[in-house]
């Protein structure tokens, strides 16, 4: 196996990149809605994970004026082998970012917004304070917008960060496991699988009413039973929503795609996840953490209400 800790030397032959199957191909974004969303982000000096992570759904989402704002800058302090976001020493935190994020949500008329960030291991609070400021700004400017956050692991300051953010009251707290435990040393070397699970457990312990969510990528070399075990681990942590999507290699320097998982296999994984008790499941090649997040949130909230009503009816009987 190649050493994934550093890119191959310039004179070493690179393996041929696999050709994408038809089910993973998307059209290039050219719509007016896409261009308007792009201009709004530029005018407000905001970054989006849609662009920075080269999301294949950007054309569809931005056409509908849905965008996932990436706070705390565009430079990450870690170097995960699957991620296209640049690594280095980040710039100082933008104090106007919370208000600009709220302004973008208002301008796009968002009923549901997803806020994510780079890792900021350089900051004393790991960036938790900026999440709080963004949530508070959204509550002031767009009080009817439901808020979903997709956070890093706040390494070394997890519990305090979770307490601060949960007090601000997001509707959904998402933190992705990304892959199976066996692949962490090569795919996500700066993180720890069980620490990520514990983060989501802590959210539920602090406020059981906040929906929790996590996702994994398929096609990195994981085995079927390993995926099933991740599902079990998530349910043990009382995670409400699981997302599963196809890993796509951003550049030849990133981890290789070991397999293009078929839509039928994704459907089977989704059926198994539903049987394990998740309130909501999204499983398809193009699924990403924030893809159709608003619709998924509405369905998840309805599923919880139906579950609680059923439990109440049993108690009455």
């Amino acid at each position: 196996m190649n050493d994934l800790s550093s890119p191959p030397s310039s004179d070493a032959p690179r393996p041929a990149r696999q050709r994408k199957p038809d089910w993973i191909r998307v059209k290039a974004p050219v719509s007016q809605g896409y261009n308007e969303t792009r201009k709004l982000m530029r005018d407000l000096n905001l970054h989006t994970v849609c662009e920075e992570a080269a999301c294949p759904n950007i054309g569809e989402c931005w056409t509908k004026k849905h965008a996932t704002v990436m706070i705390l800058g565009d430079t990450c302090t870690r170097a995960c082998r699957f991620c296209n976001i640049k690594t280095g020493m980040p710039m100082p935190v933008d104090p106007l970012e919370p208000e600009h994020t709220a302004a973008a949500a208002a301008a796009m008329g968002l009923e549901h917004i997803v806020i994510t960030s780079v890792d900021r291991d350089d900051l004393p609070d790991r960036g938790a304070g900026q999440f709080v400021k963004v949530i508070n700004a959204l509550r002031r400017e767009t009080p009817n917008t439901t808020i979903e956050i997709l956070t890093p692991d706040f390494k070394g300051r997890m519990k305090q960060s979770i307490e601060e953010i949960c007090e601000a009251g997001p509707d959904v707290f998402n933190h992705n496991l990304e892959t199976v435990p066996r692949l962490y040393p090569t795919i996500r070397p700066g993180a720890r699988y069980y620490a990520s699970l514990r983060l989501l457990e802590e959210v539920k312990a602090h406020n059981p009413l906040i929906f929790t969510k996590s996702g994994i990528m398929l096609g990195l070399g994981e085995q079927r039973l390993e995926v099933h075990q991740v599902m079990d681990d998530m349910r043990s942590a009382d995670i409400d929503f699981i997302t599963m999507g196809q890993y796509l290699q951003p550049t030849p320097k990133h981890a290789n795609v070991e397999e293009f998982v078929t839509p039928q296999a994704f459907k089977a994984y989704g059926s198994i996840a539903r049987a394990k008790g998740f309130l909501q499941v999204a499983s398809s090649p193009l699924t990403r953490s924030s893809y159709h997040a608003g619709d998924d949130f509405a369905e998840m909230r309805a599923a919880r209400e139906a579950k609680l009503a059923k439990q109440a009816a049993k108690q009455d009987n």
Side-chain angles (χ1 to χ4, degrees):
M1 180 179 292
N2 291 333
D3 179 6
L4 293 177
S5 63
S6 60
S9 61
S10 58
D11 58 347
R14 286 176 174 165
R17 297 179 75 182
Q18 291 192 49
R19 186 173 182 269
K20 292 179 183 178
D22 291 340
W23 65 74
I24 205 73
R25 296 184 187 183
V26 293
K27 294 181 180 179
V30 294
S31 71
Q32 179 180 346
Y34 169 87
N35 290 324
E36 289 173 352
T37 301
R38 187 174 187 277
K39 183 177 185 301
L40 178 65
M41 295 298 119
R42 295 294 174 276
D43 290 346
L44 291 171
N45 194 33
L46 292 173
H47 303 286
T48 69
V49 75
C50 321
E51 293 175 287
E52 305 298 339
C55 179
N57 303 314
I58 188 170
E60 177 186 345
C61 294
W62 281 27
T63 294
K64 297 176 181 178
K65 296 194 175 180
H66 295 167
T68 299
V69 176
M70 189 174 76
I71 63 173
L72 295 165
D74 65 349
T75 304
C76 189
T77 54
R78 300 194 196 168
C80 297
R81 294 298 297 170
F82 62 86
C83 185
N84 197 45
I85 295 170
K86 65 183 178 182
T87 302
M89 180 53 67
M91 297 290 287
V93 177
D94 180 1
L96 297 178
E97 198 172 53
E99 299 304 326
H100 286 172
T101 300
M108 291 188 286
L110 295 181
E111 295 179 1
H112 185 84
I113 188 170
V114 182
I115 307 297
T116 189
S117 80
V118 292
D119 281 286
R120 290 298 301 261
D121 296 322
D122 61 310
L123 298 176
D125 73 346
R126 308 297 187 264
Q130 191 77 337
F131 272 98
V132 171
K133 291 175 183 176
V134 169
I135 293 169
N136 290 339
L138 287 164
R139 294 297 186 210
R140 287 193 303 269
E141 298 300 320
T142 58
N144 295 324
T145 301
T146 50
I147 301 171
E148 178 172 333
I149 57 170
L150 171 55
T151 76
D153 60 12
F154 304 115
K155 191 174 184 179
R157 196 183 179 271
M158 182 187 71
K159 192 167 184 177
Q160 187 176 351
S161 296
I162 290 168
E163 289 174 356
E164 293 169 0
I165 293 172
C166 286
E167 286 300 317
D171 297 283
V172 182
F173 199 123
N174 185 359
H175 173 69
N176 285 332
L177 296 183
E178 305 293 8
T179 188
V180 301
R182 176 177 57 84
L183 297 179
Y184 261 57
T186 52
I187 301 302
R188 202 177 177 220
R192 297 295 179 267
Y193 177 81
Y194 290 104
S196 288
L197 271 177
R198 191 161 60 250
L199 182 152
L200 291 160
E201 283 183 315
E202 287 285 347
V203 172
K204 280 294 187 184
H206 193 80
N207 186 345
L209 296 180
I210 294 177
F211 290 99
T212 51
K213 178 177 176 180
S214 190
I216 59 172
M217 301 169 291
L218 303 183
L220 283 162
E222 69 288 332
Q223 300 298 312
R224 180 173 56 86
L225 292 180
E226 290 180 307
V227 176
H228 294 175
Q229 184 61 56
V230 170
M231 294 180 192
D232 289 337
D233 292 342
M234 287 188 184
R235 291 304 301 133
S236 294
D238 202 20
I239 293 169
D240 298 302
F241 186 175
I242 182 174
T243 62
M244 291 174 279
Q246 172 70 50
Y247 166 68
L248 298 175
Q249 185 184 29
T251 75
K253 294 182 180 180
H254 289 80
N256 293 328
V257 175
E258 300 297 332
E259 177 188 8
F260 283 109
V261 181
T262 66
Q264 293 77 16
F266 272 104
K267 185 176 180 180
Y269 278 128
S271 297
I272 291 167
R274 291 182 185 90
K276 289 181 181 293
F278 289 96
L279 282 178
Q280 184 70 359
V281 176
S283 180
S284 74
L286 288 174
T287 290
R288 296 297 182 267
S289 292
S290 54
Y291 188 44
H292 296 163
D295 293 339
D296 286 337
F297 172 73
E299 291 179 12
M300 181 168 55
R301 184 164 54 182
R304 175 189 277 177
E305 291 171 355
K307 182 179 179 180
L308 292 174
K310 188 175 181 179
Q311 291 172 348
K314 281 185 179 181
Q315 291 175 353
D316 290 341
N317 293 334

